[in-house]
Amino acid sequence: MAQKSNTTTVKDIKYYQKKFWQLFLYGLGTLILFFCLASWGFFGAMPSFEDLENPESNLATEIISSDGVTIGKFYNENRTPIKYEDLPPHLVKALVSTEDERFYEHSGIDAKRTFGAALRLGQSGGASTLTQQLAKLLFHGEGSKFFLFRVIQKAKEWIIAVKLERQYTKNEIIAMYLNKADFVNTAVGIRSASKVYFGKEPRDLTIDEAAMFVGMLKNPSLYNPLRRLEKVTNRRNTVLDQMVRNKVLTKISRDTLAVKPIVLNFHPESHKEGTATYFREYLREYMKNWAKENKRPDGSDWDIYSDGLKIYTTIDSKIQQHAEEAVQAHMKNLQEEFFSQQKDNKNAPFVNITDDETNRIMTQAMKNSERWRVMKDMDKTEEEIIASFDVKTKMKIFSWKGEIDTTMTPRDSIRYYKHFLQAGLMSMEPQTGHIKAWVGGIDYKYFQYDHVGQGARQVGSTFKPFVYATAIEQLGMSPCDSIIDSPFMIHKGRHNVTEDWEPKNSDHQYRGMVTLKRALALSINTVSAKLIDKTGPESVAALTKKLGVKADIPNQPSIALGAVEITVEDMVAAYSTFANQGVYIKPQFISRIEDKNGVVLYEPVPDTHDVLNKDIAYAVIKLLEGVTESGSGVRLRTEGGGSGDNRWTGYPYMFTNPIAGKTGTSQNQSDGWFIGMVPNLVTGVWVGCEDRSARFKGITYGQGATAALPIWGYMMEKCYEDKDLQISKDPFQRPDNLSIKVDCWSPPKAETDSTAVDNPEEEQSTDEFEM
């Protein structure tokens, strides 16, 4: 009996051994089959070889200034890739120490961590390696909460991780992971995060800053430094502890860093905030068309939001900054004066218009609003929509002292915003056509209409140099030739005039015999009228077309006084022709466009043509120098007058270098202009309200010399202080063997007409314009 029992036991053991190995092999086979099926895409598509070769997707397009500064991005996901070589070593050490201590030892899967996590049943700690986390970020995102689906995802994640390890080096995997990680607040990838949170490149991150970013990786929403700074600090210190544990940081250094507060320098990279916002929007519209006209190698359209293009622009970040600061400083103070003058105006900010005209302006503004569009899409009647504009609503409004939370009706908010003076500024290098600064308004978040490339306004006397240039070219005149300033009339029928036209000087004075140089310096209307009568308005209009002005210029004598609407962009390009010895160059704002790999996709070819010979162009420059020497721009050379908050008055400047320029003021001082030139920079400035009927009542503040010229002066002061910019103080280049007399006798300072300083602008009331 005993022997039988032993025999049975041996058989049982062999039976169970057989069953065990069968189950083991079946299980192993099932597991292998499971992974094979996952690899073959049975449980859903797996990344192809091409996907693994090019895993970076949804990359932001970077906008880069001529001096190498990123001034903005176009993106769905704000991510700009960075190479491993540009990562600071302490960031890499912090990452590996915290997220994957055996990163350099495994091949995508850490068996020790995996088995440890399995034994703990996932109760604490994680098994995912950095490579697995990268696989998840690249190809399937957040894990499913359904167990079976999560198991399938995990299997795919392992397979992808192994493939990634075979395809890429460890350093490349780290760079890819940090490029893909989301740090919230529009910051995707370590480069964007560094710029957004600390305003610096990753290579400049300190150890504690790098530790903060590594700490955020565990749960970016939970460890958001804008919301939970205490939690973020504690998590940062945990990362520092991990660095000590892995012997990449000393205990003494850890203790020093752990007590440091987190000091953010938060710069959200928003489409509506930051530098050059108006220019970036102008560029965006251009790039949309470019992307349709220029195809990828496979024939599809480029996507400016996700293809990681690099747009190298002509904008200089420093000149742009100086321009924006100049607009902000001047407009803030000028606006204060405007509000003060409107206090007693019952129809503020509108001046001398009827109730019907006011209602028309307000109704049109309502119809252009987002509120109107949304309610129209909701099939609301016009009566219901209009009624909604009289219901008080909580809102945030713009002010020069910062955003204000208030309650008012939408109708009142429209009238409030109609009070604000706007500005447009563009700077251009005349020899290359490169646009160096573009300020389309006072605040893009609240005022998105671009007053540089989008809005054409009446140019006033800034048009007069085109008349003088035509006279010099066609009549053989020179700046030193004399002409009589006296009453003058163009009779009905001549030059298509429909009724007698008799322009008057703004001060109603006549000076008798004056040189052309002095006539332009004092912006004398009768002289401009006499010149266009001799040349014919058709010739002047033809010249403006050659100068790149796209506006329709009527063949009427009244254009001599600036009764035409032209954009700031076109005016700057036209004036630049004079500074470029008579050669017109179309404004250029892109240097080149590259794909994410640095392959050049586009380089523009300059669009140029001859307009005037060098002698005539230089003669016009000398005429315009007279404006700043003894005319309406003389305040650029005026000593004293205050600084700081008083800068807006227009009298703080003491420029001694040659400056060519021209002020301009349209009818009823609705538009103030100044275009100023030095040999290598031409800048045009316009100031006015959105509606022409919203304006200063008098010419003292509404004229170009007060409204626009100070912006030019403030900006140029800053540019000259910045020696790296090398803005010229030299004379304009004089042509060899100059054939036109330009060196005229100038009257003693005591004889200089004071009206050129105190009341330089020349336009008259509306009825004196022939439109």
Side-chain angles (χ1 to χ4, degrees):
M1 295 291 294
Q3 180 143 2
K4 186 176 180 180
S5 176
N6 289 338
T7 303
T8 303
T9 301
V10 171
K11 287 181 178 180
D12 289 344
I13 290 173
K14 290 181 177 180
Y15 173 79
Y16 288 121
Q17 286 179 336
K18 181 180 179 180
K19 288 294 185 182
F20 170 79
W21 285 110
Q22 285 179 340
L23 289 172
F24 177 77
L25 291 173
Y26 281 136
L28 181 61
T30 301
L31 187 62
I32 292 173
L33 178 62
F34 176 77
F35 276 96
C36 287
L37 291 173
S39 180
W40 296 333
F42 185 81
F43 301 120
M46 291 288 286
S48 64
F49 176 80
E50 289 75 16
D51 292 331
L52 293 173
E53 275 287 310
N54 301 284
E56 294 289 357
S57 59
N58 209 15
L59 300 178
T61 286
E62 199 171 0
I63 307 167
I64 304 169
S65 68
S66 61
D67 52 331
V69 176
T70 298
I71 59 175
K73 298 177 183 178
F74 301 139
Y75 61 84
N76 294 320
E77 185 178 272
N78 183 17
R79 182 159 57 91
T80 305
I82 189 173
K83 295 180 180 178
Y84 178 85
E85 292 75 22
D86 296 322
L87 296 171
H90 49 263
L91 173 62
V92 175
K93 292 175 181 177
L95 176 66
V96 173
S97 297
T98 305
E99 294 295 322
D100 192 351
E101 292 176 324
R102 282 176 293 279
F103 174 69
Y104 294 105
E105 301 168 16
H106 63 69
S107 298
I109 302 173
D110 187 341
K112 183 176 180 180
R113 292 182 70 185
T114 301
F115 286 129
L119 291 174
R120 293 191 301 270
L121 297 176
Q123 292 179 2
S124 64
S128 293
T129 64
L130 274 175
T131 318
Q132 288 175 256
Q133 292 180 48
L134 175 61
K136 181 169 68 173
L137 288 174
L138 288 174
F139 298 111
H140 69 74
E142 289 298 318
S144 173
K145 294 182 179 180
F146 185 54
F147 177 75
L148 180 59
F149 290 166
R150 183 70 188 104
V151 170
I152 293 173
Q153 284 183 339
K154 202 68 179 176
K156 294 168 68 175
E157 185 181 295
W158 286 356
I159 294 167
I160 296 170
V162 172
K163 289 184 177 181
L164 287 172
E165 289 276 350
R166 291 176 181 173
Q167 194 77 26
Y168 296 98
T169 67
K170 291 288 187 179
N171 290 351
E172 288 173 332
I173 288 171
I174 286 176
M176 289 166 64
Y177 176 73
L178 288 173
N179 281 332
K180 186 66 178 175
D182 188 348
F183 294 92
V184 299
N185 297 311
T186 74
V188 181
I190 190 62
R191 188 174 180 212
S192 292
S194 297
K195 297 284 284 184
V196 167
Y197 289 107
F198 295 111
K200 61 176 67 173
E201 292 290 339
R203 63 175 174 271
D204 299 320
L205 291 172
T206 60
I207 295 175
D208 53 304
E209 291 168 346
M212 186 199 84
F213 284 129
V214 171
M216 290 177 67
L217 293 170
K218 183 176 182 180
N219 188 331
S221 296
L222 178 63
Y223 298 109
N224 183 341
L226 296 185
R227 296 183 177 181
R228 302 179 180 89
L229 197 56
E230 185 177 353
K231 279 184 176 292
V232 175
T233 302
N234 293 336
R235 178 63 185 164
R236 177 202 66 181
N237 293 346
T238 299
V239 174
L240 295 174
D241 291 337
Q242 285 296 111
M243 294 178 72
V244 172
R245 172 182 165 177
N246 285 272
K247 300 180 180 179
V248 296
L249 185 70
T250 65
K251 181 69 165 56
I252 295 175
S253 296
R254 181 268 174 207
D255 293 342
T256 302
L257 295 171
V259 297
K260 287 181 64 176
I262 294 176
V263 180
L264 300 176
N265 183 16
F266 187 63
H267 290 83
E269 294 186 330
S270 163
H271 298 310
K272 294 185 178 181
E273 297 175 305
T275 189
T277 45
Y278 291 91
F279 170 75
R280 281 153 42 195
E281 185 58 31
Y282 184 86
L283 179 63
R284 183 207 304 275
E285 292 303 314
Y286 173 87
M287 287 301 299
K288 284 180 181 179
N289 294 325
W290 178 91
K292 293 176 182 178
E293 296 171 0
N294 297 268
K295 306 294 183 181
R296 289 195 188 100
D298 63 4
S300 59
D301 292 349
W302 289 100
D303 189 332
I304 66 171
Y305 300 104
S306 63
D307 281 341
L309 302 177
K310 291 186 183 298
I311 307 172
Y312 291 88
T313 72
T314 62
I315 295 292
D316 186 292
S317 68
K318 290 184 178 180
I319 298 179
Q320 179 70 30
Q321 179 183 350
H322 298 327
E324 291 182 3
E325 288 176 354
V327 169
Q328 295 280 317
H330 177 65
M331 297 303 292
K332 177 180 179 180
N333 291 302
L334 192 64
Q335 187 66 54
E336 186 176 345
E337 177 64 31
F338 187 80
F339 275 131
S340 176
Q341 291 193 19
Q342 294 295 327
K343 286 181 180 179
D344 297 328
N345 180 6
K346 295 181 180 180
N347 196 29
F350 309 115
V351 178
N352 293 338
I353 64 172
T354 65
D355 290 341
D356 288 342
E357 290 173 312
T358 301
N359 291 334
R360 179 185 58 78
I361 291 172
M362 294 295 293
T363 300
Q364 188 60 47
M366 288 189 287
K367 289 183 176 181
N368 291 337
S369 70
E370 182 69 7
R371 170 182 289 270
W372 189 286
R373 185 191 66 79
V374 171
M375 294 187 72
K376 196 72 173 177
D377 289 344
M378 296 169 62
D379 293 328
K380 299 292 185 180
T381 65
E382 187 165 311
E383 290 75 14
E384 290 175 316
I385 298 174
I386 292 175
S388 75
F389 279 87
D390 293 313
V391 178
K392 286 193 173 184
T393 307
K394 289 184 178 181
M395 62 181 70
K396 192 183 295 289
I397 61 173
F398 170 83
S399 85
W400 279 111
K401 295 181 179 179
E403 292 181 326
I404 299 174
D405 290 312
T406 187
T407 300
M408 66 170 65
T409 68
R411 185 188 297 273
D412 287 342
S413 73
I414 289 174
R415 187 179 281 268
Y416 170 74
Y417 281 124
K418 292 290 187 184
H419 281 75
F420 279 92
L421 292 159
Q422 300 295 325
L425 177 154
M426 192 184 100
S427 293
M428 174 173 148
E429 190 175 67
Q431 292 77 21
T432 63
H434 290 179
I435 296 174
K436 292 299 178 182
W438 181 300
V439 185
I442 59 173
D443 188 290
Y444 184 76
K445 183 177 179 181
Y446 285 92
F447 308 96
Q448 295 179 14
Y449 190 81
D450 184 357
H451 293 284
V452 172
Q454 193 174 5
R457 299 292 294 242
Q458 279 199 10
V459 296
S461 289
T462 55
F463 192 88
K464 288 179 179 177
F466 307 151
V467 179
Y468 281 66
T470 305
I472 294 172
E473 181 181 44
Q474 292 197 0
L475 306 178
M477 301 184 76
S478 82
C480 303
D481 286 346
S482 295
I483 192 169
I484 297 177
D485 171 20
S486 61
F488 176 74
M489 178 183 292
I490 295 179
H491 294 285
K492 179 180 178 180
R494 181 170 172 79
H495 301 309
N496 300 315
V497 171
T498 57
E499 58 183 48
D500 291 347
W501 182 59
E502 185 179 9
K504 294 180 174 60
N505 295 329
S506 64
D507 57 3
H508 302 287
Q509 296 181 17
Y510 301 97
R511 296 164 180 81
M513 194 69 72
V514 293
T515 63
L516 290 191
K517 185 173 183 178
R518 184 148 180 78
L520 185 63
L522 301 179
S523 213
I524 299 174
N525 284 343
T526 59
V527 171
S528 296
K530 288 180 178 181
L531 291 177
I532 202 169
D533 181 49
K534 292 180 179 180
T535 64
E538 297 86 357
S539 298
V540 177
L543 176 63
T544 62
K545 290 298 180 183
K546 292 180 182 179
L547 291 170
V549 174
K550 295 183 283 293
D552 183 21
I553 308 297
N555 293 326
Q556 294 285 335
S558 60
I559 64 175
L561 307 186
V564 294
E565 295 185 348
I566 304 175
T567 64
V568 172
E569 181 182 12
D570 282 359
M571 289 297 289
V572 171
Y575 270 63
S576 293
T577 304
F578 302 133
N580 192 36
Q581 299 186 316
V583 179
Y584 170 83
I585 299 183
K586 184 178 179 180
Q588 182 176 314
F589 50 90
I590 293 177
S591 297
R592 69 183 185 277
I593 300 172
E594 296 178 356
D595 69 10
K596 64 180 181 181
N597 298 315
V599 177
V600 177
L601 304 176
Y602 170 73
E603 283 185 294
V605 177
D607 182 357
T608 70
H609 59 261
D610 293 339
V611 179
L612 300 167
N613 69 44
K614 293 181 180 180
D615 291 5
I616 295 174
Y618 186 72
V620 176
I621 288 292
K622 298 305 287 184
L623 282 169
L624 292 170
E625 283 184 354
V627 174
T628 68
E629 291 167 354
S630 61
S632 57
V634 74
R635 61 184 61 187
L636 288 172
R637 306 186 184 282
T638 303
E639 182 177 356
S643 60
D645 287 344
N646 293 326
R647 187 178 297 275
W648 68 278
T649 60
Y651 292 99
Y653 312 106
M654 292 181 62
F655 294 111
T656 58
N657 55 292
I659 298 171
K662 187 70 188 79
T663 57
T665 308
S666 69
Q667 51 186 315
N668 295 326
Q669 55 276 348
S670 295
D671 307 276
W673 289 78
F674 181 71
I675 301 176
M677 301 189 286
V678 295
N680 64 350
L681 194 68
V682 178
T683 301
V685 183
W686 165 87
V687 172
C689 285
E690 178 183 289
D691 292 278
R692 297 186 57 79
S693 53
R695 56 180 176 82
F696 281 106
K697 295 180 181 179
I699 199 168
T700 302
Y701 294 96
Q703 61 180 293
T706 305
L709 179 146
I711 294 176
W712 189 92
Y714 182 98
M715 171 188 155
M716 291 300 291
E717 277 189 339
K718 293 296 183 182
C719 286
Y720 281 134
E721 289 171 5
D722 194 336
K723 302 303 181 184
D724 292 337
L725 292 177
Q726 297 183 337
I727 303 301
S728 175
K729 288 188 175 182
D730 296 329
F732 289 87
Q733 184 175 351
R734 186 185 183 103
D736 296 333
N737 302 314
L738 181 64
S739 62
I740 300 175
K741 183 180 179 181
V742 297
D743 299 318
C744 313
W745 175 83
S746 297
K749 188 172 182 180
E751 296 181 21
T752 300
D753 196 318
S754 62
T755 60
V757 178
D758 299 325
N759 189 15
E761 298 308 306
E762 55 286 350
E763 284 67 22
Q764 49 280 324
S765 61
T766 307
D767 60 350
E768 292 173 323
F769 274 89
E770 183 74 20
M771 298 300 291

